[in-house]
Amino acid sequence: MNSVASGSTVSALKKLGRKRTTAALAVVGALTLSLLVGSPARADSTSFDIAVGTAPHDIAVSGNGDVYVATDSGVSVIDAETRKVTTVDVGGVAQGVATLGSSSAYVSVAGKAGAAGSVVIMNEATVAGRVKTGANPRTVAINQVTRKVYVSYSYGITVIDPWAEHATVDIPYYNSTPRSMVVDSSRNRVFVPTSGGVLTVIDGQTNFKNVYVLGGGDAIGHAVNTRTNEVFQTLAGSYLGRPQSDLGIVEDSAHASFLYRQDETFGKVAVDSWTGNVYVESTNAGGSSSIVLVNPATGRKIAQISVPSEPTALAVDSTRHRTYAPLSRGGVSVIDSSNTSSVVRTGVQPVAVAVHEYTGATYVANQGSASVTVVQSADPRPVKNDFNNDRNADVLARDGSGVLWLYPGDGAGDWLDRRQVGQGWNVMTSMVTPGDFNGDGYSDILARDSSGVLWLYGGNGSAGWLPRVQIGVGWSGMTAITSAGDFNGDGNLDVAARDGSGVLWLYPGNGKGAWLTRVQIGSGWSSMTDIVGVGDFNTDGSSDVMARDSGGRLWLYPGNGAGGWLPQVQYGQGWNGMTALFATGDFSGDRKADIMARDANGAMWLFSGSGGAKWPIGSVIGQGWNGMTAIL
């Protein structure tokens, strides 16, 4: 077999919106999502500083990786590909910034004293519009589902609706300026804390507000778990002259359920949406600062990690389970998944932080040195089905003549231009993409030839292949081969295969391109017409498998994380109308595992996973896919 790959590499952060390329694909074998697979966490290292406008004080990163920095000079936009900085005059001091989608940002701009403010709409480094707000606007928050924009101003909130030509609604407050806002996109609610334990909850559908008093202390910070939709609040107060603070879950009603109390002063809060753990800034009576890690399921403290000085901000990379806390005396504390803290250098007076979880890059705005420090994760683990190393899931397809094509995903459920990456692949009777099977950081292919030999084609990270390696013989007796993610919980990627009698076997990988001893994990699988490894489809932390039976019913078989199963769940019926089912990982870019299917007319459907029991609505992402003989 002669594998051919182009010498060029798709840039790590391609701008979205390229025209769609369609082709024809069919399924052989099945795939799994193992979004991030790699070695245990190590300390992060500072890559470089980038000069921006004067006195930066807020920062946000868009879906395509562009960074927007609110400064006294205007808005500084850092291009994700070139790192070029463009500082745009927005007619005043940029106050707060939030991003929407792949390339848009909304920036609040304060006017003259007592005058109305505005929000500038940015499309990359171009001002695309301006909307009036109340006086002295500050914080900006966005519901990524409804796309409504919320801007706090003196004694009120302005709501901007992009779907209604950016029409605005003002929601008056009372006697204070909102400190911050957090959006629960799932329930379409906005939570706004102020002093005295006062919390305002805005109904995003009607803009109706309810004002609650949740205790005698000050509501300091709020954070939302985007996976479970839980909203957490820190409430700082005192008891018998001593500081005493609470961490609670805010319910969409007149109270909060308190989780954890400590005789220290709580402040900022952030949550790891995948583990569910909550990180809380805490200061003791002596003035020493720390980050308290709380398990909300038990209400117990997991750890308390000392930091050198008071954090000025707090952000979590839920993908790599790292927490970033810029420090008032300089530097950023990085807490890894083992709850070990290290301090990474920043510029002078770091005040804000933003994380781009797909690339692992973290951006810290330094007010005192007019710069942004880029902190790159030391072990950015590979994305499943990312063959060109741009951190987006891709599709591989074999046509009838044996040519192998790469269809790069754009990270948002669409395609970049295809490229040929091999030929002679029609001798293969099964092809599987397990992820990084040999542990070198790049996605690989496993392929079985007509004599039953199993080959490993290691990816080179540039849409090409390393010399193939034989890793098995006698695989011709298997009627289905699928990747299984880390099914047994040992940190390495595995493969599942069904033999002629319907027994399902797990072939555990050793993390270096070879096998451990196989284990039987099921029987009676002969009735299944498709077996598809879908990764962690139900977002419980364990790899799962889907199977379609002869009656067209689709079933989820959730893994238990230790090489066994939880009870199966039916995900609909009528799937026998699909001529191919496959899973490339997170193709839609929402960090949840997806399913793709080809119908009898050759239309390709994307079913973007919801991360739970709710089956997603499908959308057609291409036509003419029935000419291909394999998809992976």
Side-chain angles (χ1 to χ4, degrees):
M1 178 180 299
N2 178 25
S3 295
V4 179
S6 169
S8 63
T9 303
V10 179
S11 176
L13 282 168
K14 280 291 186 186
K15 298 290 191 264
L16 305 181
R18 292 274 199 94
K19 72 176 183 178
R20 177 172 295 164
T21 303
T22 59
L25 306 175
V27 64
V28 175
L31 313 178
T32 183
L33 170 67
S34 182
L35 270 179
L36 295 154
V37 180
S39 56
R42 302 189 299 270
D44 287 43
S45 56
T46 299
S47 299
F48 50 85
D49 288 353
I50 299 176
V52 294
T54 306
H57 42 266
D58 198 13
I59 190 167
V61 59
S62 67
N64 70 3
D66 288 343
V67 182
Y68 296 83
V69 190
T71 78
D72 286 0
S73 308
V75 180
S76 291
V77 183
I78 304 173
D79 185 275
E81 293 185 23
T82 65
R83 300 174 186 168
K84 176 184 176 182
V85 178
T86 303
T87 298
V88 181
D89 184 356
V90 292
V93 175
Q95 300 292 331
V97 59
T99 56
L100 175 63
S102 63
S103 58
S104 297
Y106 287 75
V107 184
S108 59
V109 180
K112 296 181 179 179
S118 63
V119 164
V120 169
I121 306 164
M122 303 290 299
N123 184 6
E124 296 183 351
T126 302
V127 174
R130 185 184 297 269
V131 181
K132 288 185 178 180
T133 69
N136 197 29
R138 286 290 185 266
T139 304
V140 182
I142 300 178
N143 186 321
Q144 299 293 328
V145 174
T146 67
R147 304 176 76 87
K148 284 187 177 181
V149 181
Y150 298 84
V151 185
S152 68
Y153 65 89
S154 296
Y155 311 117
I157 291 175
T158 297
V159 184
I160 303 171
D161 188 353
W163 294 113
E165 297 182 348
H166 291 94
T168 61
V169 174
D170 273 351
I171 302 177
Y173 228 64
Y174 23 93
N175 60 355
S176 63
T177 299
R179 296 180 174 184
S180 63
M181 292 181 287
V182 63
V183 176
D184 177 357
S185 296
S186 175
R187 291 184 292 177
N188 200 7
R189 298 288 187 267
V190 182
F191 296 83
V192 188
T194 53
S195 60
V198 175
L199 177 72
T200 293
V201 181
I202 300 172
D203 185 320
Q205 183 68 32
T206 64
N207 294 321
F208 179 80
K209 70 175 183 179
N210 279 311
V211 180
Y212 305 127
V213 178
L214 302 181
D218 286 346
I220 302 299
H222 284 75
V224 61
N225 185 323
T226 56
R227 188 170 67 90
T228 64
N229 306 314
E230 296 170 314
V231 176
F232 298 93
Q233 171 185 265
T234 52
L235 195 68
S238 62
Y239 177 72
L240 298 178
R242 301 191 306 271
Q244 186 178 79
S245 298
D246 294 292
L247 170 69
I249 294 182
V250 180
E251 300 177 4
D252 195 12
S253 59
H255 69 283
S257 299
F258 292 103
L259 291 175
Y260 179 75
R261 175 169 289 168
Q262 186 162 303
D263 289 338
E264 294 187 2
T265 301
F266 286 168
K268 303 166 188 68
V269 60
V271 59
D272 186 323
S273 292
W274 285 88
T275 66
N277 293 331
V278 183
Y279 295 79
V280 182
E281 172 199 356
S282 183
T283 304
N284 65 20
S288 297
S289 296
S290 62
I291 303 296
V292 179
L293 177 58
V294 178
N295 182 345
T298 63
R300 295 182 179 179
K301 179 172 69 176
I302 298 172
Q304 187 159 0
I305 303 109
S306 295
V307 293
S309 60
E310 179 183 357
T312 59
L314 202 59
V316 174
D317 178 351
S318 297
T319 297
R320 295 160 189 81
H321 310 303
R322 282 183 168 83
T323 301
Y324 296 86
L327 303 171
S328 57
R329 296 179 185 173
V332 56
S333 277
V334 183
I335 302 171
D336 66 18
S337 58
S338 65
N339 298 326
T340 301
S341 176
S342 60
V343 177
V344 176
R345 184 203 65 83
T346 65
V348 179
Q349 196 182 352
V351 294
V353 60
V355 177
H356 192 257
E357 293 194 19
Y358 258 70
T359 64
T362 299
Y363 301 90
V364 181
N366 306 303
Q367 194 168 60
S369 56
S371 65
V372 169
T373 298
V374 183
V375 181
Q376 184 66 52
S377 173
D379 61 335
R381 293 167 284 180
V383 173
K384 167 68 168 64
N385 263 54
D386 173 21
F387 294 98
N388 56 12
N389 205 30
D390 67 352
R391 307 295 297 172
N392 297 322
D394 308 320
V395 170
L396 290 171
R398 179 184 64 190
D399 66 22
S401 64
V403 173
L404 192 65
W405 297 91
L406 173 69
Y407 292 84
D410 69 357
D414 212 332
W415 311 98
L416 304 179
D417 294 333
R418 77 171 187 172
R419 56 190 293 190
Q420 182 178 334
V421 294
Q423 59 187 16
W425 287 78
N426 47 3
V427 301
M428 295 299 175
T429 59
S430 183
M431 300 164 64
V432 175
T433 53
D436 177 21
F437 192 73
N438 60 7
D440 65 355
Y442 302 119
S443 293
D444 308 321
I445 293 180
L446 300 179
R448 179 186 64 187
D449 65 24
S450 56
S451 64
V453 175
L454 194 66
W455 298 91
L456 169 66
Y457 289 82
N460 65 6
S462 299
W465 316 107
L466 303 176
R468 71 178 184 173
V469 178
Q470 181 178 326
I471 60 170
V473 295
W475 285 75
S476 54
M478 295 299 175
T479 59
I481 303 173
T482 180
S483 51
D486 176 17
F487 193 76
N488 60 6
D490 66 355
N492 300 319
L493 295 178
D494 309 318
V495 168
R498 179 185 64 190
D499 65 24
S501 63
V503 173
L504 193 65
W505 297 92
L506 180 71
Y507 289 81
N510 68 356
K512 300 178 181 179
W515 309 101
L516 304 177
T517 304
R518 76 172 186 173
V519 180
Q520 181 177 335
I521 57 172
S523 59
W525 287 74
S526 295
S527 63
M528 297 299 176
T529 59
D530 285 282
I531 303 174
V532 182
V534 291
D536 183 15
F537 196 82
N538 61 2
T539 61
D540 65 353
S542 302
S543 292
D544 308 320
V545 169
M546 276 191 172
R548 177 176 61 178
D549 65 24
S550 56
R553 293 179 294 258
L554 193 64
W555 300 88
L556 177 70
Y557 290 84
N560 66 4
W565 307 99
L566 301 176
Q568 69 190 62
V569 180
Q570 184 175 339
Y571 268 84
Q573 57 190 7
W575 286 84
N576 45 10
M578 296 295 180
T579 59
L581 294 174
F582 51 95
T584 59
D586 174 24
F587 193 78
S588 63
D590 62 358
R591 297 180 55 250
K592 297 179 176 65
D594 304 327
I595 287 286
M596 299 174 77
R598 181 191 62 192
D599 66 23
N601 296 320
M604 190 58 64
W605 293 80
L606 171 65
F607 296 90
S608 182
S610 64
K614 182 180 179 182
W615 184 253
I617 298 174
S619 60
V620 175
I621 59 172
Q623 300 285 347
W625 293 73
N626 48 5
M628 293 289 183
T629 60
I631 179 172
L632 49 150

